[in-house]
Amino acid sequence: MLRASLLPMLMLVMSVNTFGCSPTGSFPAGNDQDCARDALCLKVRLDGAALPGSRLLVVWATPGVEGPEQVAYQVPFTGQERALRIPFDRIALPTNAARYPALRCDGIGSPCGVNAVATAYIVVVAAPAEGTSNLKDRLLGAAPAMLGFAEHEIAKGERSLSDVFPGGMREGIGSYTPSKPVGHLFDQLWPAAPGAVFDLVVCGPDGSGKCEPPVPNIT
């Protein structure tokens, strides 16, 4: 089931611009060290068929922040793709970030203002159809990964974000791997390893009951 925090962005999807160029090429085998460092790298796994008009989206949707989600990147998705690479510098920075105390931006651990933090989902959606009123009905696929943005680097274990990012956050945009600890209801997000490549699982419209898009659950 699509997480509730993503549902309100339906009306945005058709009104935003496409950022950057289409990531329909592939990243070179054996030369993917920029994956997770400078780019989001995805390996497409088709468990169902993509529909005409489908799109790959990166969507900033930060828990605790009111207002509409922000589609920061979108390109056509045909289902013929096998490996996708989205450079971080092609993704629009979040305008709906949360604000936390910036405890270590001065290097000594004392308070020094605020830090902007945001999280983004990676999803594949079908084009709107007549009578379709929300994004949940259009979801075709997702990556079991998230992007994160921090205005300042966040150290491992910093208390203001330790529940969501126990391993800290890099400055700027980075890739994060969800992991649900035993006894927890929600995923925690850990910095992705250098060279990390994530599956993009596309279930298609007939995948209900057999394939469920692996949308991370952080709320």
Side-chain angles (χ1 to χ4, degrees):
M1 180 180 295
L2 182 63
R3 307 306 170 199
S5 61
L6 284 178
L7 300 182
M9 76 180 186
L10 171 65
M11 299 309 296
L12 278 177
V13 172
M14 300 308 294
S15 61
V16 298
N17 294 323
T18 297
F19 295 91
C21 55
S22 171
T24 53
S26 62
F27 42 87
N31 186 29
D32 58 0
Q33 286 304 301
D34 65 335
C35 294
R37 182 186 64 192
D38 301 314
L40 172 67
C41 295
L42 303 168
K43 179 176 64 176
V44 178
R45 195 184 90 194
L46 286 175
D47 287 347
L51 297 176
S54 298
R55 304 191 69 80
L56 170 66
L57 308 178
V58 173
V59 185
W60 295 113
T62 304
V65 175
E66 296 183 0
E69 287 81 0
Q70 174 192 355
V71 179
Y73 184 93
Q74 65 165 314
V75 290
F77 183 84
T78 67
Q80 301 300 311
E81 301 86 350
R82 293 296 175 263
L84 309 177
R85 179 181 178 277
I86 306 175
F88 292 151
D89 62 8
R90 300 288 189 179
I91 298 171
L93 295 180
T95 59
N96 56 350
R99 300 282 174 174
Y100 296 91
L103 300 181
R104 292 182 174 86
C105 63
D106 61 358
I108 60 174
S110 59
C112 54
V114 296
N115 198 354
V117 175
T119 53
Y121 296 86
I122 303 100
V123 296
V124 175
V125 298
E130 185 176 354
T132 300
S133 59
N134 62 50
L135 185 63
K136 180 176 67 174
D137 295 331
R138 297 171 47 206
L139 184 71
L140 299 177
M146 295 195 75
L147 296 183
F149 168 81
E151 187 176 8
H152 305 289
E153 181 181 358
I154 296 175
K156 180 178 179 180
E158 187 167 306
R159 65 180 182 271
S160 61
L161 285 170
S162 61
D163 287 344
V164 180
F165 292 95
M169 297 183 73
R170 61 178 281 180
E171 182 177 321
I173 295 176
S175 299
Y176 294 84
T177 302
S179 177
K180 184 179 295 183
V182 176
H184 284 229
L185 293 175
F186 306 116
D187 293 325
Q188 293 180 328
L189 302 177
W190 295 84
V197 177
F198 299 98
D199 285 341
L200 178 65
V201 181
V202 181
C203 297
D206 299 323
S208 178
K210 303 175 184 177
C211 172
E212 183 174 329
V215 180
N217 182 15
I218 62 170
T219 60

